[in-house]
Amino acid sequence: GLCLEKRGFYKLISGLHASINLHLCANYLLEETWGKPRWGPNVKEFTRRFDPIETKGEGPRRLKNLYFLYLIELRALSKVAPYFERSVVDLYTGNGHEDAESKTLLLDIFKDTKSFHMHFDEKSMFAGDKKGAKSLKEEFRLHFKNISRIMDCVGCDKCRLWGKLQTQGLGTALKILFSEKEIQSLPENSPSKGFQLTRQEIVALVNAFGRLSTSIRELQNFKILLQQTR
């Protein structure tokens, strides 16, 4: 009974949850010996979290939502490329050589994303009346803000950091997808007007996509491990 936008939102949060679960399964404390703990993939834990029987059919859906989230962030990276391709945009690291190298590497990522055939079209979302769309976007923004606040309750500093970073990365991806016209109309040789990304948003976007890419890779590894155990 939910509208397209809300269904999409819950699928994205489910995909984020699946990504975190995959990381937990892939880097699991297998044995805690004195001074030398052993970490690695835990097939049993992966099965418990994603097997159709163990999860009453929910596991495969969670993994589909992971791919959905991956496509969303991949789409956002391809859309935001013109923002960074402008000569006026630099990545300030404090070292001129590293600035140029970092921008070159980032543009290489954008080039790769553009070569990938996109399977998601965000134009179908928020396509209703402008007032309702604006209200729904604000609702989404508040949801992400609340999720980020919930992350503050996580006891593990590392988990809290990555949780907040991935949440902000997803929020930044959605901000990009719904700002296509503003990005296309950006001036080439003057500061951005109408669309701007903060340093924190850029860091979150790239690192969140990196974590998702790792999740996809770990999923392939678990498929191989499951075949070997049968």
Side-chain angles (χ1 to χ4, degrees), residues 11-17 19 64-74 170 209 212:
K11 286 176 69 175
L12 291 173
I13 299 302
S14 172
L16 182 59
H17 190 225
S19 175
K64 286 182 180 179
N65 291 337
L66 168 66
Y67 281 103
F68 177 68
L69 173 59
Y70 181 77
L71 289 176
I72 290 285
E73 296 205 7
L74 188 65
L170 175 54
F209 184 72
L212 280 177

Side-chain angles (χ1 to χ4, degrees), residues 34-47:
W34 179 257
K36 195 177 181 181
R38 186 167 63 91
W39 300 79
N42 188 324
V43 177
K44 186 177 180 180
E45 185 65 24
F46 175 83
T47 302

Side-chain angles (χ1 to χ4, degrees), residues 19 46-47 56-57 78 86 92 118 144 177 182 184 194 220:
S19 175
F46 175 83
T47 302
K56 297 181 180 179
S78 68
R86 297 174 301 148
Y92 296 104
M118 291 298 164
F144 277 108
L177 290 179
E182 291 84 349
Q184 291 177 345
Q220 301 306 314

Side-chain angles (χ1 to χ4, degrees), residues 62-105:
R62 294 168 186 168
L63 294 176
K64 286 182 180 179
N65 291 337
L66 168 66
Y67 281 103
F68 177 68
L69 173 59
Y70 181 77
L71 289 176
I72 290 285
E73 296 205 7
L74 188 65
R75 177 79 164 173
L77 287 175
S78 68
K79 289 283 185 180
V80 81
Y83 174 83
F84 291 97
E85 289 170 348
R86 297 174 301 148
S87 58
V88 72
V89 175
D90 289 317
L91 302 177
Y92 296 104
T93 64
N95 181 299
H97 175 72
E98 289 184 1
D99 290 348
E101 187 176 6
S102 297
K103 184 171 181 179
T104 299
L105 291 172

Side-chain angles (χ1 to χ4, degrees), residues 109-198:
I109 293 175
F110 293 142
K111 184 178 179 181
D112 288 339
T113 60
K114 285 182 177 180
S115 65
F116 180 76
H117 179 66
M118 291 298 164
H119 300 278
F120 175 79
D121 184 4
E122 69 284 351
K123 292 179 182 177
S124 60
M125 300 182 73
F126 302 105
D129 65 285
K130 291 184 178 180
K131 186 177 180 180
K134 185 177 180 180
S135 174
L136 200 53
K137 285 182 181 180
E138 177 61 16
E139 184 181 339
F140 277 25
R141 189 187 70 80
L142 292 175
H143 278 321
F144 277 108
K145 191 173 182 180
N146 288 336
I147 292 170
S148 184
R149 284 177 176 172
I150 291 171
M151 296 291 179
D152 292 332
C153 300
V154 177
C156 171
D157 291 339
K158 186 177 180 180
C159 297
R160 182 168 63 250
L161 170 65
W162 279 108
K164 291 177 76 72
L165 184 143
Q166 289 183 85
T167 302
Q168 184 172 15
L170 175 54
T172 304
L174 293 177
K175 174 182 175 179
I176 292 166
L177 290 179
F178 304 130
S179 303
E180 182 177 7
K181 292 182 180 178
E182 291 84 349
I183 295 173
Q184 291 177 345
S185 60
L186 288 171
E188 172 61 32
N189 296 308
S190 61
S192 303
K193 291 182 179 180
F195 179 83
Q196 182 71 45
L197 289 178
T198 66

